[in-house]
Amino acid sequence: MFINCKSRKKPKSFSLILCLFLLCLLSGCGLRKAANQADGNQITLSPEPNNTMGVSDRTEEADTNNKVVTIEPSDTSNTTEDPKIEDFSEMDKYFKDYTFDVSYDEKLAFYQRTFSIQGAFDLNRDGEADRINAVLKANYEEGSYIEVNGIKVTLDPFNPSGEIQIIDLDSKDSYVEVAIFDEGPSGDPNFKFFQYDGKELYSLGSIDRYALMDGQGKFISWFHLTNYFKPQFFSAWGEFKNKEYVITNHDVEQYIGKTYEVDGSGYFVPLDKNPENFFEHTVWDLETLREFKETKIKLLDIHIEPEDRTLNWFYVELPDGERGLLYFWIGD
């Protein structure tokens, strides 16, 4: 029998059941929605796509990265980045235009003289001149000292000349230093540096006379330079940290294989093969001494010790193809 749904009336009980079913269905949806809202992780990890939220996230990440770039690298770059040799020049450039009053007995031989030195200079840049006195005696004789505003530090020069300078080792700090010259025991001239901070007088250490400096606290020793090569390069650089002189090794492998111009008197020992021990082939006599004048050499290897950065022994190839060990006289 065919039933006409349009004309047939629904029983009241059926309508009541239908209403109850719809009410339960709506209640269940509400419960699931409440559960989702209570679960914070689910909402956070599955947000609806929103352009504003995406821009906000990227901006916060960029801000965090900016803090890393602008703060941390600025500190580490000053301590780890090797300096450039073109930023260095002779120490004389950094001497202040000031002359001390130096007196001594001219009748005595040079090695017998006692130098008395007086002067005044604002060492800690507080606007007031500091009184500087020094007594220099030769051959490690007792009684040598430097004194600033009554604060005395004993010295032990071997061969002083009476030369004393005011120098700015690092323009970034608030001090200028006193530099006392010593010829050394066997032709090893050097400067000893002293710093006064307004309360104490510190000995910073010494540097060989012909070292280079950049005026920003960094130095390259004459012994760590290729003094007869053009262009020059270096094996180490140093700086004063916490009243100590700290040396940092510089990678010299990058210079091997390049061609340089050599000027000056050097020793050359012909060798077909690169020696394993360069000391065994080092000979200091006239037979191995040669005069180089703008000679183009190819640098094949550099012999250098990790703990001693003296840069002086090179395995090279001369313009005529001859190979050998090249080195120079750098003192005792």
Side-chain angles (χ1 to χ4, degrees):
M1 179 175 66
F2 181 78
I3 299 174
N4 189 349
C5 295
K6 290 183 179 180
S7 61
R8 185 173 180 177
K9 294 183 180 179
K10 297 181 178 66
K12 292 183 179 180
S13 57
F14 178 79
S15 300
L16 179 61
I17 293 172
L18 181 61
C19 291
L20 290 174
F21 175 78
L22 292 176
L23 180 62
C24 292
L25 181 63
L26 292 175
S27 299
C29 294
L31 290 173
R32 284 194 297 272
K33 182 177 180 182
N36 287 343
Q37 289 176 341
D39 187 356
N41 291 336
Q42 185 174 351
I43 293 175
T44 302
L45 295 176
S46 304
E48 294 182 3
N50 185 294
N51 292 336
T52 304
M53 182 179 292
V55 171
S56 175
D57 288 346
R58 287 194 295 271
T59 303
E60 184 177 355
E61 181 179 357
D63 289 342
T64 304
N65 290 336
N66 285 339
K67 291 179 182 179
V68 174
V69 171
T70 57
I71 297 177
E72 293 181 4
S74 63
D75 293 335
T76 57
S77 61
N78 290 336
T79 57
T80 60
E81 183 179 356
D82 283 6
K84 298 179 181 179
I85 194 169
E86 53 266 28
D87 295 332
F88 289 76
S89 55
E90 297 178 355
M91 281 192 287
D92 300 61
K93 174 183 176 180
Y94 301 94
F95 290 153
K96 297 294 183 180
D97 185 15
Y98 180 80
T99 303
F100 284 87
D101 181 16
V102 181
S103 60
Y104 57 91
D105 188 349
E106 296 182 356
K107 296 179 182 180
L108 297 176
F110 186 82
Y111 61 90
Q112 296 177 323
R113 294 174 180 174
T114 296
F115 298 93
S116 297
I117 302 167
Q118 291 83 35
F121 201 92
D122 184 5
L123 299 178
N124 61 333
R125 296 177 177 171
D126 63 353
E128 298 182 3
D130 302 297
R131 301 187 312 275
I132 305 168
N133 300 302
V135 172
L136 305 178
K137 298 181 179 182
N139 201 25
Y140 305 130
E141 183 179 346
E142 293 184 1
S144 296
Y145 66 86
I146 178 175
E147 183 181 34
V148 177
N149 293 343
I151 302 174
K152 184 182 295 186
V153 173
T154 58
L155 305 174
D156 59 347
F158 181 83
N159 197 3
S161 65
E163 180 183 354
I164 182 170
Q165 302 281 355
I166 300 295
I167 187 172
D168 191 0
L169 298 179
D170 188 353
S171 62
K172 301 190 303 295
D173 63 24
S174 302
Y175 310 104
V176 293
E177 289 75 22
V178 180
I180 297 179
F181 179 69
D182 187 354
E183 286 282 0
S186 58
D188 299 318
N190 65 85
F191 275 109
K192 292 182 173 62
F193 301 118
F194 299 87
Q195 186 181 89
Y196 176 70
D197 64 2
K199 296 180 179 180
E200 299 292 336
L201 179 62
Y202 301 94
S203 174
L204 297 180
S206 63
I207 294 288
D208 50 278
R209 175 64 177 87
Y210 301 109
L212 305 180
M213 58 179 286
D214 67 350
Q216 303 290 312
K218 296 183 180 65
F219 305 83
I220 300 177
S221 169
W222 187 84
F223 297 98
H224 299 157
L225 280 166
T226 51
N227 295 286
Y228 300 94
F229 282 36
K230 292 182 181 178
Q232 280 186 304
F233 59 86
F234 61 100
S235 61
W237 56 275
E239 57 185 332
F240 292 105
K241 292 182 177 180
N242 299 322
K243 315 303 179 185
E244 293 182 352
Y245 187 66
V246 180
I247 295 178
T248 301
N249 292 347
H250 179 65
D251 178 26
V252 296
E253 295 290 330
Q254 58 187 303
Y255 305 112
I256 296 175
K258 298 181 180 180
T259 299
Y260 297 87
E261 183 179 284
V262 176
D263 267 303
S265 298
Y267 295 85
F268 183 82
V269 177
L271 294 170
D272 292 333
K273 295 183 179 180
N274 189 12
E276 293 184 4
N277 188 336
F278 63 93
F279 276 123
E280 293 180 354
H281 300 275
T282 301
V283 181
W284 305 101
D285 60 26
L286 293 178
E287 293 182 0
T288 58
L289 185 63
R290 295 193 187 186
E291 190 67 28
F292 296 91
K293 185 176 182 181
E294 299 180 356
T295 304
K296 300 290 185 180
I297 64 103
K298 184 176 182 179
L299 185 58
L300 302 178
D301 198 6
I302 301 172
H303 291 278
I304 192 169
E305 300 293 334
E307 65 279 359
D308 179 10
R309 305 301 290 179
T310 300
L311 193 58
N312 191 47
W313 282 269
F314 313 93
Y315 186 60
V316 303
E317 181 177 285
L318 301 183
D320 60 1
E322 186 179 20
R323 295 185 174 190
L325 186 66
L326 174 65
Y327 51 98
F328 305 87
W329 178 259
I330 57 175
D332 297 335

